[in-house]
Amino acid sequence: MHRKNLILGIESSCDETAAAVVAGGHEILSNIVASQSEIHRKYGGVVPELASREHLRQIVPVVREAIEQAQITLGDVDAVAVTQGPGLVGALLIGVTYGKVLATSLGKPLIAVNHLEGHVHAVLLEARASGREPQLPAVCLIVSGGHTILCGVRAEPASGGMHFSYSKIGATRDDAAGEAYDKVARMLALGYPGGPIIDRLAPYGNPQAVRFSDPKMTGNPYDFSFSGIKTAVLHHIRRNRELETEIEARRQALARGERGADRLRALSSAATLDLAASFQRSVVSTLLSRTFAALAPYPARAIFVSGGVAANSELRGAFQTEATRRGIEVFFPSRALSTDNAAMIAAAGYAHLLAGDRADSTLNAEANLPLA
Ligand code: KG4
Ligand code: ZN
């Protein structure tokens, strides 16, 4: 059986090797993600050389699995969509090169996708799959370990489909929000990645216990900065020496492979749980205030939140409450589509296919590819 518009998506921008087959822009037939977090865990962050080597090992089996799980053959694919950037150049090159080879050998169109645009389409894909097409224009907050960016999303009819356009509203000037989570978790010996564990521990602490100031941005008021809060957490630990003993105890527990949230919570005092809760409250309220403030200059009819940090429970709750209060709809992808995956690349690729966009064999990876 041949379904129309089968897009094979390939994603390798950071530490996930991913391939997916999506039919008609919204029906996920397979979505395979090989995560490297075990490999990077002991370094507390992604090591680019190790990431490229692992992508090289994984790309062929991951694509094969995506094809098998979709119960199709490579010949059934109508187009190959691949992440061109932004991301780690060595990591991107593996996906771009493999995507080019596949598209050429199959004689099928090659489509270049911006990774950030993929995060926007993760939202559109799922909303569409559940019959809930969001109203555009939208303001989209993309918030992950590598990015924190606020952008406007519009769509206009073009040839056989819609042409999506993006405008940058604000972005982080230093660390991404997920990076701040990972660095704070590292300082507190809570393991890697830091977001999911801080998310689990924060409800046990008092979010008002430690005050972190929201940095005032000169210039663009929609920009973010997360390096200050990271330094403030470090100073707080230095001023409260008693925290060191439990940090050491957790470090040893992690070294023994005890990474469960319950175990780490048992090894955390109220002071640590308060610190985790206060850190999270500060990050979430900064993300929330900038996003909702952006509704003033940008005429949005919906808010999208996407990227790894969009999985955060407090963030989801806070955005939902504020959106309800303001009478605007907010859309989050499911947790599986919030983090890096290739279904979102295939969905973005489908929009390009309909709009007539094609890449050719000169396509190259671009580490700093801008969204707009
Ligand atoms: O989108 P993603 O898988 O990869 C990129 O960085 O592009 O996002 C990973 C990031 C990590 O920094 C991780 O700590 C953070 O997302 N993260 C979370 C949660 N789950 C993952 N941050 C806060 N709360 C979470 N539940
Ligand atoms: Zn991402």
Side-chain angles (χ1 to χ4, degrees), residues 115 119 144 147 340:
H115 178 82
H119 279 297
S144 71
H147 310 281
D340 286 351

Side-chain angles (χ1 to χ4, degrees), residues 150 214-215 217 221-224 285-294:
L150 257 180
D214 183 6
M217 306 309 291
Y222 306 106
D223 277 350
F224 302 89
S285 54
T286 301
L287 294 171
L288 183 111
S289 67
R290 299 284 194 286
T291 307
F292 283 88

Side-chain angles (χ1 to χ4, degrees), residues 221-278:
Y222 306 106
D223 277 350
F224 302 89
S225 167
F226 293 104
S227 69
I229 189 163
K230 182 189 68 187
T231 314
V233 170
L234 185 62
H235 287 157
H236 182 87
I237 297 171
R238 293 219 173 112
R239 275 197 310 273
N240 295 273
R241 287 276 162 203
E242 71 283 3
L243 293 176
E244 300 281 359
T245 319
E246 48 174 303
I247 288 175
E248 188 47 39
R250 287 193 298 269
R251 196 159 282 141
Q252 288 176 15
L254 289 173
R256 290 193 298 272
E258 299 167 17
R259 287 195 296 268
D262 292 338
R263 178 71 185 130
L264 290 167
R265 180 159 72 90
L267 293 172
S268 302
S269 65
T272 294
L273 297 171
D274 286 352
L275 183 56
S278 303

Side-chain angles (χ1 to χ4, degrees), residues 5 13 26 30 42 51 60 68 76 80 89 95 109 112-113 125 142 172 277-278 286 301 330 335 359 369:
N5 287 320
S13 66
H26 67 269
S30 62
K42 59 176 171 294
V60 173
E68 278 174 14
D76 295 330
V80 178
V89 73
V113 174
L125 182 164
I142 301 167
T172 184
S278 303
T286 301
R301 301 168 74 185
V330 60
R335 278 161 210 251
L369 188 68

